[in-house]
Amino acid sequence: MALKNFTEDENHKTVLELFCSAEFVRGVESELIFLSALTIFFFVTAFLGNTLILVALHKETSLHPPSKLLYGNLAITDLCVGIIAEPLAVTYWTSVVKERWDICYHAIRALGFSSIIFCLVSLLTVTAISVDRLFAFRLGLRYRQVVTFRRTCITVTGFWILPIVSASTVFLNRRITSWYPEHIGIAICLFTTIFAYAKIFVTLRHNQIHVQSHAAQGQPSQAIPLNITRYRKAVYSALWVQGTLVICYLRYVVVVALQPQRGMSLSIYRAQQFTATLLYSNSSLNPLLYCWKIREVREAVKVTLRQLFCRSS
């Protein structure tokens, strides 16, 4: 599906061709029908949930604009997964069941292209959110001067240009496509995220010790603890989004990593399809996380829903 559908096996037959081969996929029709029904459900929830989040973010004014832009970009990516990648996945699975190999070939090629883009944009955006939280703490009052809306727009634009260029290399060199997004892109994103959150929690720990020492000396400071408490909530909100993405992506990445060692087999194929469906579920889970962990977004969603129900009634 995503990221590694364009490598070649020992017999010089591409995985793309194997996935649209009657001999290879025979016997998995019932599983593919089940995955199609499940993905249709994820399509509906991803579309409704992320559309609602985008409307709520547009109305919400208390969030810092660059932070709101990053969450909005993640919601747009999830919406694109819902309206582009998931229908393509259903089209591919249906074409296999119906043995429409002409449709199958084009569907899985388009699915691989779009999946590379959306996976990398999601990873880059979540990484940027972790860096944004680090800047908010380290820069203090200078944060709003350094992290501006214009600079964030330029960064987000780059998040889309880079994956599109990377996915386009499938038409030029399949080896480059499998190496760049999967190995280099994911490695950089994970390293940057781990570094950012490690730095945040170490600094928070030192700050807490500093506050406690002042309190022990009879010099309590109320402003610092309150600011740290509010900041910690924002960090944990970002961590929930990051953690959910890692959980949904990890199993798929592990299955894809096993392919070169064990070769493409029917069991690996089944595992890829099921873990890809789990990956798609991330686009439906993120709107729930926004409403649960980000109070400003939750309140904006409530207002939006009230307005919709009032108009309908």
Side-chain angles (χ1 to χ4, degrees):
M1 305 286 284
L3 303 182
K4 205 157 189 170
N5 288 328
F6 306 104
T7 58
E8 297 185 358
D9 64 7
E10 297 176 352
N11 298 320
H12 303 289
K13 191 172 186 179
T14 64
V15 175
L16 181 67
E17 293 168 342
L18 281 175
F19 282 12
C20 290
S21 169
E23 296 79 11
F24 181 76
V25 299
R26 183 176 291 113
V28 298
E29 290 82 0
S30 58
E31 290 99 320
L32 297 185
I33 292 173
F34 169 75
L35 292 179
S36 297
L38 187 60
T39 303
I40 290 173
F41 170 76
F42 288 145
F43 156 73
V44 174
T45 55
F47 174 75
L48 295 178
N50 287 288
T51 301
L52 182 61
I53 291 297
L54 287 171
V55 172
L57 285 172
H58 177 72
K59 294 181 178 181
E60 209 285 320
T61 57
S62 60
L63 281 175
H64 186 40
S67 299
K68 185 166 71 170
L69 177 61
L70 291 175
Y71 281 112
N73 187 61
L74 190 58
I76 289 174
T77 307
D78 290 333
L79 182 61
C80 289
V81 170
I83 64 177
I84 298 176
E86 291 176 355
L88 284 172
V90 173
T91 301
Y92 163 66
W93 291 325
T94 304
S95 67
V96 171
V97 173
K98 299 292 185 180
E99 297 187 355
R100 295 294 305 273
W101 306 120
D102 53 338
I103 298 176
C104 176
Y105 181 82
H106 294 295
I108 195 172
R109 192 169 185 177
L111 178 60
F113 181 82
S114 61
S115 296
I116 291 174
I117 296 174
F118 300 143
C119 286
L120 278 180
V121 173
S122 295
L123 287 170
L124 289 168
T125 304
V126 171
T127 303
I129 291 173
S130 66
V131 175
D132 176 68
R133 292 299 86 206
L134 177 61
F135 283 170
F137 192 59
R138 300 289 290 182
L139 296 177
L141 297 176
R142 294 180 55 240
Y143 167 70
R144 292 180 178 270
Q145 298 174 352
V146 174
V147 183
T148 62
F149 184 77
R150 181 176 178 274
R151 290 174 178 172
T152 308
C153 282
I154 295 173
T155 302
V156 169
T157 302
F159 287 171
W160 285 93
I161 293 176
L162 188 63
I164 289 173
V165 172
S166 176
S168 299
T169 59
V170 67
F171 300 105
L172 302 175
N173 190 317
R174 294 172 180 177
R175 191 179 301 275
I176 292 176
T177 302
S178 66
W179 256 95
Y180 175 74
E182 186 172 357
H183 296 86
I184 300 177
I186 293 177
I188 291 175
C189 288
L190 290 179
F191 176 80
T192 304
T193 301
I194 292 172
F195 173 81
Y197 283 119
K199 192 74 173 175
I200 287 171
F201 284 110
V202 168
T203 307
L204 280 173
R205 179 60 180 169
H206 289 168
N207 207 306
Q208 184 179 5
I209 294 173
H210 177 74
V211 171
Q212 290 174 350
S213 65
H214 274 272
Q217 296 173 8
Q219 301 174 351
S221 175
Q222 295 296 328
I224 295 177
L226 287 174
N227 290 335
I228 290 179
T229 300
R230 183 176 180 181
Y231 173 77
R232 187 182 286 112
K233 290 180 179 179
V235 170
Y236 282 130
S237 299
L239 262 177
W240 271 96
V241 175
Q242 174 78 41
T244 304
L245 183 141
V246 170
I247 292 172
C248 292
Y249 277 53
L250 185 59
R251 294 183 181 181
Y252 183 81
V253 172
V254 170
V255 171
V256 169
L258 292 175
Q259 180 185 323
Q261 288 78 24
R262 301 188 178 182
M264 178 51 67
S265 63
L266 192 58
S267 60
I268 293 291
Y269 173 80
R270 281 193 175 102
Q272 280 198 15
Q273 307 314 302
F274 275 94
T275 53
T277 306
L278 177 63
L279 185 151
Y280 296 143
S281 68
N282 180 250
S283 299
S284 299
L285 292 175
N286 278 339
L288 299 177
L289 290 176
Y290 298 152
C291 295
W292 178 32
K293 303 301 295 184
I294 305 176
R295 182 181 58 83
E296 295 86 353
V297 174
R298 182 170 62 251
E299 295 302 323
V301 167
K302 289 180 181 178
V303 172
T304 303
L305 288 175
R306 289 194 199 101
Q307 291 175 346
L308 288 175
F309 287 133
C310 288
R311 290 177 182 177
S312 62
S313 60

